[in-house]
């Protein structure tokens, strides 16, 4: 298959030269493996359609023909960096009692999960066998195992960062397990489980870059973030004189950096650590400037599913160094993100 990578300026009256960009990209994809390199090359123009989000309800049993989301404009506006609600990480208490959402999933015989397939070590196509793999994928399997008795009873739908909330609101997925930060603004639109990982926003830049972190060194530089992400909100609130560049998926930022079309990336350090492991020419700079917690996102009306996922997470965390959580961390994340002692402690609320 021939792959054509569209340069940043193509079609907009400003050329970077497609051939030069491709040669630069090829020289910087060392160590990715054939499948991952192909996914990265496609990401500039087609990240949303690699494993697209079909427009069908989870309980239909027959997803509609594959197509990319109708409009990126459906994404919610960026939120304030200052959360105004109390304890946004507090979720409903765990329970194994079935309800309408659980019954619907059982009737369909599949859990429909919104995931990423481009985030190394979190949700990505394993270049060895082409299967979805990663820390988030392991958690999806644990949820499916508990509800349906089969960890493989899952329909995976890859969704852009900005489409995570709309996919849940439209009923196109049951859960989103995609390094999604819990915050007050998102709680207006979706429900979250208790936190399953702690991360923070940080800057990723080429080695030798004058960029030193999330500070005045960003001035005059093109800085990339994923649309609808906390990184995008941070950069809009305090750009430090940078030129913001927004893209549908976080991996698009890495490809643009490799093509020389942006000078740096702001993203979760947990994601960036995997990217730095893929591409030795980039590194994390400065320190994390936020503290964020990932949660499993669900429809606000699916309280029984929220409680059930929290029950799964209780079991997932249990067992210390022998817990399923720690086993998944050692398998997927420890090589690129060492030093994590364990999962964040859960917080609960009544109601």
């Amino acid at each position: 298959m021939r792959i054509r990578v569209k340069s940043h300026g193509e079609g907009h009256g400003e050329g970077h030269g497609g051939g030069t960009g491709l040669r630069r990209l090829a020289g910087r994809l060392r160590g990715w493996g054939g499948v991952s390199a192909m996914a990265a090359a496609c990401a500039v123009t087609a990240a949303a359609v690699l494993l697209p989000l079909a427009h069908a309800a989870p309980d239909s049993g027959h997803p509609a023909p594959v197509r990319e989301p109708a409009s990126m404009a459906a994404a919610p506006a960026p939120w304030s960096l200052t959360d105004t609600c109390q304890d946004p990480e507090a979720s409903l208490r765990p329970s194994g009692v079935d309800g309408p959402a659980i019954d619907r999933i059982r009737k369909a015989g599949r859990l429909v999960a919104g995931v990423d397939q481009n985030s190394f070590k979190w949700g990505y196509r394993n270049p060895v066998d082409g299967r979805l793999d990663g820390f988030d994928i392991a958690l999806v399997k644990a949820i499916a195992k508990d509800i349906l008795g089969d960890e493989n009873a899952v329909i995976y739908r890859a969704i852009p960062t900005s489409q995570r909330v709309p996919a849940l609101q439209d009923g196109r997925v049951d859960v989103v397990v995609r390094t999604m930060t819990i915050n007050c603004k998102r709680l207006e639109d979706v429900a979250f489980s208790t936190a399953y990982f702690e991360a923070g926003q940080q800057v990723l830049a080429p080695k030798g870059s004058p960029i030193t972190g999330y500070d005045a060194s960003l001035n005059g530089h093109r800085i990339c973030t994923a649309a609808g992400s906390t990184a995008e909100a941070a950069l809009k609130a305090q750009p430090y004189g940078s030129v913001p560049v927004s893209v549908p998926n976080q991996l698009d930022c890495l490809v643009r950096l490799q093509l020389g079309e942006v000078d740096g990336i702001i993203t979760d350090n947990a994601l960036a650590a995997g990217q730095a492991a893929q591409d030795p020419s980039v590194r994390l700079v400065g320190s994390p400037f936020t503290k964020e917690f990932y949660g499993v996102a669900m429809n606000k009306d699916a309280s029984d599913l929220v409680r059930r996922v929290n029950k799964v997470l209780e079991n997932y965390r249990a067992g210390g160094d022998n817990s399923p959580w720690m086993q998944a961390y050692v398998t997927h994340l420890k090589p690129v993100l060492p030093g994590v002692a364990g999962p964040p402690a859960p917080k609960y609320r009544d109601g």
Side-chain angles (χ1 to χ4, degrees):
M1 181 177 74
R2 297 184 65 185
I3 300 174
R4 180 174 179 268
V5 179
K6 183 178 180 180
S7 71
H8 176 63
E10 185 174 337
H12 300 279
E14 50 180 349
H16 286 279
T20 301
L22 279 170
R23 287 192 294 272
R24 188 184 298 117
L25 176 61
R28 295 184 65 176
L29 286 175
R30 295 183 298 273
W32 279 50
V35 174
S36 295
M38 181 179 294
C42 291
V44 173
T45 55
V49 298
L50 289 174
L51 179 63
L53 175 65
H55 293 256
D59 57 354
S60 67
H62 300 284
V66 168
R67 56 187 181 272
E68 64 182 301
S71 173
M72 299 304 295
W79 49 88
S80 167
L81 290 181
T82 303
D83 276 343
T84 55
C85 60
Q86 186 175 3
D87 288 332
E89 293 84 30
S91 183
L92 296 174
R93 297 189 181 277
S95 172
V97 177
D98 294 349
I102 298 295
D103 289 342
R104 176 179 50 74
I105 292 168
R106 287 208 173 118
K107 181 180 178 181
R110 293 289 187 275
L111 176 73
V112 184
V115 299
D116 197 352
Q117 67 170 8
N118 295 320
S119 292
F120 189 51
K121 297 299 184 181
W122 286 94
Y124 71 108
R125 287 285 179 183
N126 192 315
V128 175
D129 56 16
R131 295 178 180 272
L132 281 170
D133 202 359
F135 190 85
D136 280 347
I137 305 303
L139 179 53
V140 170
K141 290 180 177 180
I143 296 170
K145 176 71 173 178
D146 184 88
I147 296 174
L148 296 164
D150 180 3
E151 68 173 22
N152 295 314
V154 181
I155 296 174
Y156 293 101
R157 290 182 177 162
I159 51 178
T161 304
S162 60
Q163 290 296 305
R164 294 175 297 188
V165 169
L168 287 165
Q169 291 178 321
D170 296 346
R172 289 173 276 165
V173 297
D174 298 312
V175 297
V176 168
V177 188
R178 195 189 182 285
T179 58
M180 190 169 178
T181 299
I182 304 167
N183 62 39
C184 294
K185 179 61 179 177
R186 286 175 176 159
L187 283 169
E188 296 175 5
D189 301 313
V190 299
F192 279 100
S193 70
T194 54
Y196 67 86
F197 203 88
E198 179 181 337
Q201 295 296 311
Q202 199 167 349
V203 178
L204 187 73
K207 292 179 179 177
S209 167
I211 296 173
T212 58
Y214 185 61
D215 52 34
S217 67
L218 298 180
N219 185 44
H221 293 290
R222 298 161 297 178
I223 304 301
C224 190
T225 61
S229 67
T230 50
E232 182 187 52
L235 197 61
K236 286 186 176 182
Q238 177 53 274
Y240 284 111
S242 65
V243 180
V245 177
S246 181
V247 296
N249 276 301
Q250 207 280 327
L251 183 67
D252 299 354
C253 282
L254 182 60
V255 176
R256 289 184 183 274
L257 185 67
Q258 292 167 328
L259 288 170
E261 296 175 356
V262 298
D263 305 307
I265 300 168
I266 299 178
T267 187
D268 300 355
N269 59 350
L271 289 172
Q275 293 178 353
Q278 287 177 297
D279 187 346
S281 70
V282 300
R283 63 188 179 97
L284 285 163
V285 294
S287 301
F289 57 91
T290 64
K291 180 181 286 189
E292 302 177 13
F293 296 91
Y294 297 158
V296 178
M298 291 153 279
N299 190 285
K300 288 193 73 170
D301 295 330
S303 59
D304 60 317
L305 180 58
V306 175
R307 293 182 185 276
R308 187 59 168 264
V309 170
N310 283 339
K311 173 179 171 290
V312 173
L313 285 171
E314 284 282 290
N315 296 330
Y316 206 63
R317 299 183 190 98
D321 289 343
N322 295 318
S323 68
W325 188 99
M326 186 57 71
Q327 291 173 8
Y329 165 73
V330 170
T331 300
H332 300 291
L333 299 180
K334 188 175 181 178
V336 300
L337 196 66
V340 177
K347 295 181 180 180
Y348 295 112
R349 62 177 173 83
D350 295 315

